[in-house]
């Protein structure tokens, strides 16, 4: 895949996290110029072409970020929505603020970002063989239910259908923008560490070690995913090799949902 994205400009949200940082690296390996975006100040070790401070829940912040990409590069070929949060809590004790925060980041962020970038993506897509590409990191939680994840499952399910509806609308309007979603299960990141601790806190496991020990066997492939497993999938979807994929769900879960 080296060179498959040569000359293309990519914007990746949540780029300081485990999955987002690896996606940024893999897109760069394939030749893309990567602009990272996240809430923290620019990390000292950020090696992408540029870094933008971005609050994905704020429309003005999105508009500023897209304008900055346009001003510096004059195009946007790939938009990857990685930014996301999870609240691990019983439904009956989930607060409305916790619920709304998940919806704001996991759903509103995808909507606002895609909306803000559509004109620039459309312009760039006209000059690409298979159009520009929007990729949303959803989750198997957007396909199946899970205890203590009612809000998260709801938000990821909403993001999944946003992808499909948006794909159909872009095609109906003649926009050369492909829109697809990626659905990981457990990935070795800090988010999973948090989930394991909350399972213990709520009595689903005696210890973090016990909770972790059950994760790998739950995946028929025999292990949890590494961030690079997800990043390679995103790299494929962003390339012309995935030129016939539109409104699709790529489930990358080691067989977890096939059981």
């Amino acid at each position: 895949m080296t060179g498959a994205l040569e000359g293309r400009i990519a914007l990746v949200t949540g780029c300081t996290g485990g999955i987002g940082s690896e996606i940024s690296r893999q897109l760069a390996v394939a030749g893309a110029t990567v602009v990272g975006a996240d809430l923290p100040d620019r990390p000292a070790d950020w090696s992408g072409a540029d870094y933008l401070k971005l609050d994905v829940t704020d429309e003005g912040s999105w508009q500023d970020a897209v304008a900055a990409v346009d001003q510096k590069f004059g195009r946007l070929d790939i938009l990857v929505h990685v930014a996301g949060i999870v609240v691990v809590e019983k439904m009956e004790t989930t607060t409305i603020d916790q619920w709304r925060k998940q919806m704001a980041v996991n759903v509103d962020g995808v909507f606002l970002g895609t909306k803000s970038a559509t004109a620039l993506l459309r312009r760039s897509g006209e000059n690409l063989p298979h159009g520009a590409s929007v990729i949303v990191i959803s989750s198997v939680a957007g396909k199946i239910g899970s205890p203590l994840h009612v809000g998260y499952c709801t938000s990821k399910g909403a993001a999944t259908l946003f992808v499909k509806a948006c794909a159909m609308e872009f095609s109906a309007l003649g926009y050369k923008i492909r829109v697809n979603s990626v659905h990981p299960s457990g990935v070795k990141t800090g988010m999973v560490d948090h989930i394991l601790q909350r399972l213990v806190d709520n009595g689903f496991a005696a210890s973090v070690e016990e909770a972790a020990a059950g994760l790998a066997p739950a995946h028929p492939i025999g292990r949890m995913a590494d961030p690079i497993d997800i990043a390679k999938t995103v790299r494929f979807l962003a390339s012309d090799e995935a030129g016939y994929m539109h409104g699709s769900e790529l489930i990358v879960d080691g067989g977890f949902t096939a059981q």
Side-chain angles (χ1 to χ4, degrees):
M1 291 289 290
T2 302
L5 299 175
E6 198 68 42
R8 301 195 186 180
I9 307 299
L11 176 60
V12 180
T13 73
C15 70
T16 65
I19 295 176
S21 60
E22 188 58 45
I23 287 172
S24 299
R25 279 191 287 271
Q26 290 302 314
L27 294 179
V29 165
T33 296
V34 179
V35 179
D38 215 329
L39 267 176
D41 292 329
R42 180 180 182 135
D45 60 350
W46 175 253
S47 58
D50 210 340
Y51 181 88
L52 301 171
K53 193 165 183 177
L54 172 67
D55 177 357
V56 299
T57 70
D58 182 76
E59 187 167 12
S61 185
W62 265 112
Q63 291 170 343
D64 290 344
V66 171
V69 172
D70 190 12
Q71 182 176 19
K72 183 165 185 176
F73 302 103
R75 61 184 300 122
L76 179 61
D77 308 293
I78 303 160
L79 173 61
V80 188
H81 292 287
V82 187
I85 63 168
V86 59
V87 174
V88 185
E89 187 63 68
K90 294 176 184 176
M91 184 277 295
E92 60 194 298
T93 53
T94 297
T95 68
I96 189 62
D97 287 341
Q98 289 173 321
W99 176 271
R100 286 174 176 163
K101 182 64 174 177
Q102 286 182 104
M103 299 305 151
V105 176
N106 300 348
V107 185
D108 296 354
V110 172
F111 159 65
L112 291 172
T114 306
K115 175 186 177 183
S116 300
T118 292
L120 189 54
L121 288 163
R122 182 185 176 193
R123 193 172 77 207
S124 299
E126 290 297 326
N127 300 309
L128 296 170
H130 299 286
S133 177
V134 176
I135 301 163
V136 175
I137 304 301
S138 182
S139 168
V140 294
K143 303 293 296 174
I144 60 175
S146 178
L148 308 183
H149 287 75
V150 170
Y152 187 69
C153 290
T154 302
S155 69
K156 290 301 186 177
T160 300
L161 276 179
F162 171 86
V163 165
K164 294 182 181 301
C166 197
M168 296 304 97
E169 180 168 314
F170 283 169
S171 289
L173 294 171
Y175 297 174
K176 289 185 66 178
I177 307 172
R178 295 183 296 109
V179 192
N180 296 288
S181 58
V182 177
H183 300 257
S185 54
V187 185
K188 296 175 187 175
T189 64
M191 181 180 284
V192 167
D193 294 339
H194 166 69
I195 291 170
L196 294 176
Q197 182 59 57
R198 291 297 294 147
L199 290 174
V200 174
D201 295 344
N202 282 273
F204 282 79
S207 67
V208 170
E209 292 73 21
E210 177 185 297
L215 278 181
H219 296 74
I221 207 167
R223 66 176 178 86
M224 288 176 59
D226 291 307
I228 195 169
D229 294 313
I230 312 308
K232 286 180 177 179
T233 303
V234 171
R235 186 181 68 186
F236 163 70
L237 280 175
S239 74
D240 290 335
E241 293 188 8
Y244 201 61
M245 297 195 70
H246 187 40
S248 299
E249 305 167 13
L250 263 183
I251 298 175
V252 190
D253 69 351
F256 185 82
T257 57
Q259 302 175 91

